[in-house]
Amino acid sequence: MDLRKLILVLTLLGALVPFANTFYASYTVQRQQLMDTTLDGNYAYANKLAKSTEDFLQASQLQLAYTAQLLAMKMDDVAKLEEEAARLRMMSKSFNSITIFDATGKVLATSPETLGLQGRVLGSEAVMTALREKRPLISAPYQSATGNFIVFINHPVVSASGRYLGAVGGAIYLQKENILDRLLGQHFYVDGSYLFVVDKQKRIIYHPDPRRVGDFVQHNVVVDRVAAGQSGKGATVNSQGVRMLAGYAPVTSTGWGIVAQRPEAATLAPLTQLMQSTLYRALPATILTLILILWSARLISRPLRLLADGARKMEDPSSAKDIGSVKSWYFESRELKKALLIGIDAFHKSFTKLREDTATDPLTKLGNRRRLDETLADFESQATPFSVISIDIDHFKKVNDSHGHAAGDAALQQLAQRMREACRAYDVPLRVGGEEFLILLPSTTLATAAQVAERLRRTVEEMRIPKVGTITISLGVANWPQSSFEVQAVLKAADEMLYASKRGGRNRVSVHQREVGVSS
């Protein structure tokens, strides 16, 4: 092997291989971490909702059991039965309708009365099973006599002597607004995440898209497992062919299964963008260095060996100093030394920019939660008093639903611009969630922060957004150490004030006042 080829090989081994290996290892580790975090989060959320659903079903059965005791002495009084049915439906809000029927299946009372079932003998499988088994039951989903796709929960009515008198039951209409919507309908993200519920037959009984209710899910390993009573997490492909990261858990008493899932592409999108940005910034300097090395390889001797040694440890912060100490006594080696120093500088600048990007929200260019943690750590270590403004866009979901996510993104970007304009050079504006923002104001009193918040609120109220029109924001203000001696408690106080603004009608500022224990 001649010297020129040897120098090329050494340069490739010393510069490109460590870079590529670091690049690949970083991508692999972060990719797995993102997927594991998403799977764990979805699994925990599915378990939580399964427990909540189980608790609701048990509570509903207790409500029916108590009502059944009251009805045992009233089964001959239709007026009392209708009164009790209406009371149970309106008091609990757990059921879309209530039905009381006797031991033959004849309907004695319903709520609402518009069902028109009084006097009819019910022949549904759920009612027939209740009459046959004479015990508390939760039915499989079925089509009712009124045309509704429902789940029926019933409890027997038994006389003091133990004689079976009939049953009282509550129906949940799966294709209309129901208790499952209230329990499960809070899980929504603009990145395609959603959850759904299936029964033992893998039939959908809850879905964000009501049109899917009643469909059977086929060829989905996650649904197969949860329908079999298993809980866990894993990757799957949904009915639209999208690869999803899912967590799942069963509702034991009914055999239902809850699946929470997020698109794998949405999970990995930030990492892909980050690695592409790093590669684009690093490759030009690396390619330039290789070209210069090939051009000067014929005339390089000992100085080249020293430069090659330095190139092999390009990622080492001390490599620039080592290469700078090489005595290049001819033109070619001096130029190569310059090129290597430029490449090393560009390499380190790229990774510095990479670290900066990880603390910046890609949509609004504001700081993210990592920047929040770094800033709070600095304030706390230097004992710097500061104020916090917590910001949330009012009714932001309606913006996305009515105008599309592109319009929602434009609204977020314009709000971010107004925040930057309202801040001083040393204030720190942040985006910490979908439509949730913070501003940290060092060495700022609570009163001054409240003025900044009010000024920002008015500015946002007056701005116009293409397609969307106007938006408003609710704000909460707190101060450290005035609101609390704990930094995290100050953030919580600002968040509580934000929700006070929401409860107070939105489009307002609430300020935490620790001394008197009230907010304004």
Side-chain angles (χ1 to χ4, degrees):
M1 184 179 292
D2 59 37
L3 182 58
R4 182 178 179 181
K5 292 180 180 178
L6 178 60
I7 292 172
L8 177 60
V9 170
L10 291 176
T11 303
L12 289 172
L13 292 176
L16 294 181
V17 173
F19 172 77
N21 181 66
T22 302
F23 188 89
Y24 177 77
S26 176
Y27 177 83
T28 302
V29 170
Q30 293 185 64
R31 180 181 188 276
Q32 191 61 47
Q33 185 177 18
L34 283 172
M35 293 181 64
D36 289 344
T37 299
T38 299
L39 286 169
D40 290 341
N42 285 339
Y43 175 59
Y45 194 67
N47 267 307
K48 176 184 176 182
L49 291 180
K51 179 63 167 60
S52 298
T53 304
E54 189 73 60
D55 291 343
F56 156 72
L57 293 172
Q58 292 179 6
S60 299
Q61 289 180 313
L62 289 174
Q63 292 171 0
L64 292 172
Y66 176 76
T67 301
Q69 291 180 354
L70 299 178
L71 295 178
M73 304 296 293
K74 306 175 182 178
M75 292 296 280
D76 295 326
D77 189 338
V78 174
K80 291 291 185 181
L81 294 179
E82 291 176 347
E83 178 182 344
E84 202 60 30
R87 181 197 64 80
L88 176 59
R89 184 175 69 87
M90 299 303 297
M91 178 188 70
S92 69
K93 300 293 184 181
S94 298
F95 305 105
N96 295 89
S97 66
I98 299 295
T99 303
I100 302 171
F101 52 90
D102 65 16
T104 67
K106 179 182 178 181
V107 176
L108 303 178
T110 63
S111 178
E113 296 181 355
T114 54
L115 292 175
L117 296 177
Q118 286 85 345
R120 292 178 56 179
V121 176
L122 300 176
S124 67
E125 181 61 30
V127 173
M128 300 305 295
T129 302
L131 296 175
R132 182 173 60 252
E133 299 192 14
K134 299 179 175 58
R135 63 182 180 87
L137 292 172
I138 301 175
S139 76
Y142 70 98
Q143 199 82 19
S144 71
T146 57
N148 294 308
F149 188 51
I150 71 173
V151 169
F152 190 67
I153 305 174
N154 75 85
H155 195 283
V157 179
V158 181
S159 68
S161 62
R163 185 167 63 90
Y164 180 75
L165 302 177
V168 55
I172 300 173
Y173 296 174
L174 298 177
Q175 291 174 311
K176 298 182 179 180
E177 183 178 355
N178 59 69
I179 188 63
L180 288 179
D181 289 321
R182 296 192 288 275
L183 278 173
L184 308 175
Q186 302 302 315
H187 183 95
F188 176 80
Y189 298 100
V190 297
D191 61 3
S193 298
Y194 64 94
L195 63 84
F196 61 94
V197 183
V198 296
D199 64 9
K200 292 180 180 178
Q201 285 72 44
K202 307 176 191 177
R203 178 168 45 188
I204 297 175
I205 62 174
Y206 170 79
H207 196 280
D209 182 359
R211 294 172 297 181
R212 296 293 309 279
V213 174
D215 291 351
F216 287 87
V217 181
Q218 304 293 336
H219 312 298
N220 188 311
V221 64
V222 164
V223 172
D224 292 343
R225 291 172 182 170
V226 77
Q230 301 176 27
S231 64
K233 55 191 176 183
T236 186
V237 177
N238 70 7
S239 57
Q240 283 75 43
V242 179
R243 186 170 175 81
M244 310 292 286
L245 301 177
Y248 51 93
V251 180
T252 307
S253 64
T254 61
W256 299 349
I258 295 179
V259 181
Q261 57 187 14
R262 184 187 190 198
E264 182 179 294
T267 299
L268 299 179
L271 176 60
T272 301
Q273 295 172 1
L274 185 65
M275 302 310 287
Q276 287 177 346
S277 176
T278 302
L279 185 61
Y280 293 153
R281 286 178 172 84
L283 276 179
T286 304
I287 293 172
L288 176 61
T289 301
L290 289 174
I291 293 174
L292 291 173
I293 290 174
L294 284 170
W295 174 70
S296 60
R298 292 171 297 175
L299 303 176
I300 295 174
S301 58
R302 184 174 182 278
L304 178 59
R305 290 196 298 272
L306 296 176
L307 293 174
D309 290 339
R312 281 199 299 271
K313 53 180 182 179
M314 185 179 288
E315 70 278 7
D316 190 338
S318 64
S319 60
K321 181 180 178 181
D322 293 340
I323 292 175
S325 65
V326 174
K327 295 180 179 179
S328 300
W329 53 270
Y330 52 91
F331 176 78
E332 288 79 3
S333 62
R334 285 198 302 270
E335 290 300 306
L336 180 57
K337 183 169 75 172
K338 290 178 183 179
L340 284 173
L341 290 174
I342 290 172
I344 291 172
D345 181 64
F347 184 86
H348 290 300
K349 283 181 178 178
S350 294
F351 274 92
T352 299
K353 182 62 169 57
L354 174 61
R355 288 193 294 270
E356 179 66 20
D357 287 346
T358 60
T360 302
D361 175 61
L363 177 64
T364 63
K365 308 306 179 185
L366 299 181
N368 59 16
R369 287 190 176 275
R370 178 172 293 185
R371 178 65 53 78
L372 171 64
D373 293 340
E374 292 173 353
T375 305
L376 290 178
D378 289 342
F379 287 171
E380 193 168 14
S381 64
Q382 299 173 21
T384 303
F386 66 95
S387 291
V388 181
I389 302 175
S390 183
I391 306 163
D392 188 88
I393 300 177
D394 298 327
H395 303 298
F396 185 67
K397 184 177 183 297
K398 290 184 180 179
V399 174
N400 281 329
D401 291 346
S402 301
H403 306 287
H405 298 314
D409 289 348
L412 294 174
Q413 290 170 332
Q414 289 207 31
L415 173 57
Q417 180 59 31
R418 297 302 183 275
M419 289 172 61
R420 281 190 286 266
E421 294 170 356
C423 289
R424 299 163 297 185
Y426 47 86
D427 294 336
V428 184
L430 304 154
R431 182 189 181 195
V432 295
E435 66 270 23
E436 300 169 5
F437 297 80
L438 287 177
I439 300 178
L440 301 180
L441 303 97
S443 303
T444 303
T445 65
L446 195 62
T448 300
Q451 293 173 0
V452 173
E454 177 60 24
R455 186 164 61 249
L456 176 61
R457 183 196 68 78
R458 291 197 302 268
T459 300
V460 172
E461 187 179 34
E462 295 169 359
M463 75 180 183
R464 295 295 181 270
I465 303 170
K467 295 184 180 180
V468 175
T470 62
I471 62 172
T472 61
I473 55 175
S474 297
L475 305 94
V477 185
N479 177 270
W480 183 82
Q482 185 173 343
S483 297
S484 173
F485 292 107
E486 296 293 332
V487 170
Q488 293 300 323
V490 174
L491 297 182
K492 183 178 180 182
D495 199 51
E496 290 172 352
M497 292 302 97
L498 168 63
Y499 282 101
S501 295
K502 292 283 189 183
R503 292 191 298 271
R506 296 182 170 82
N507 191 22
R508 62 184 61 208
V509 177
S510 296
V511 183
H512 190 268
Q513 302 288 357
R514 185 180 181 214
E515 297 88 329
V516 297
V518 301
S519 63
S520 62

